[in-house]
């Protein structure tokens, strides 16, 4: 059975942009192999489950094939099974309404509405 380093595998299957990024993620504790924190040199074999935090989301993948070199996206997709749970549905944003017949908003009211629409503090 063939094995490879986890930082190299993450880079080869295109979950990380560069190999130093993959190693840094391991050192920062963002990578777990079989629910154990992984160092960059941790060995992965087919059947291992890897949890990696990428761009604010946690990806859960299963290793189906180990590779050493970076390959194209179609071939890289054959090396893993993505078991990442679907994100929860977003709740609809509240809609700002004005009472009918109140006229145009004042300058202060318009600023409050603009801050509300941009998601800023009140």
């Amino acid at each position: 059975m063939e094995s490879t380093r986890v930082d190299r595998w993450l880079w080869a299957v295109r979950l990380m942009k560069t190999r130093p990024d993959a190693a840094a993620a391991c050192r920062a504790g963002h990578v777990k192999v079989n629910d154990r924190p992984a160092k960059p040199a941790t060995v992965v074999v087919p059947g291992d489950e890897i949890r990696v935090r990428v761009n604010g989301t946690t990806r859960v993948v299963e290793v189906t094939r180990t590779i050493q070199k970076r390959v194209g996206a179609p071939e890289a997709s054959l090396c893993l099974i993505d078991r990442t749970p679907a994100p929860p549905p977003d709740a609809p944003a509240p809609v700002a309404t004005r009472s009918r017949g109140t006229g145009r908003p004042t300058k202060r009211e318009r600023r409050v509405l603009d801050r509300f629409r941009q998601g800023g503090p009140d």
Side-chain angles (χ1 to χ4, degrees):
M1 189 167 5
E2 196 174 323
S3 62
T4 188
R5 292 169 54 114
V6 70
D7 63 337
R8 179 174 242 178
W9 188 83
L10 289 171
W11 166 76
V13 297
R14 298 175 172 266
L15 286 176
M16 295 285 186
K17 202 167 198 166
T18 65
R19 191 162 165 207
D21 286 347
C26 291
R27 283 191 295 275
H30 298 298
V31 179
K32 291 185 177 187
V33 176
N34 297 327
D35 291 326
R36 291 191 177 129
K39 293 181 179 178
T42 301
V43 175
V44 293
V45 294
D48 284 348
E49 180 187 78
I50 298 177
R51 292 179 181 270
V52 59
R53 188 145 177 87
V54 181
N55 298 331
T57 60
T58 301
R59 301 273 311 265
V60 181
V61 295
E62 181 183 333
V63 179
T64 57
R65 202 172 94 202
T66 57
I67 55 176
Q68 301 283 330
K69 304 272 184 185
R70 193 168 173 100
V71 294
E75 192 174 337
S77 67
L78 301 174
C79 298
L80 60 95
I81 299 172
D82 195 353
R83 299 197 189 283
T84 306
D90 292 334
V95 178
T97 58
R98 288 180 50 85
S99 300
R100 226 174 135 79
T102 56
R104 294 177 56 174
T106 64
K107 192 174 197 178
R108 183 180 180 279
E109 290 171 337
R110 194 189 72 233
R111 287 181 181 154
V112 170
L113 281 171
D114 286 344
R115 270 189 254 125
F116 177 76
R117 287 184 185 134
Q118 293 174 354
D122 290 327

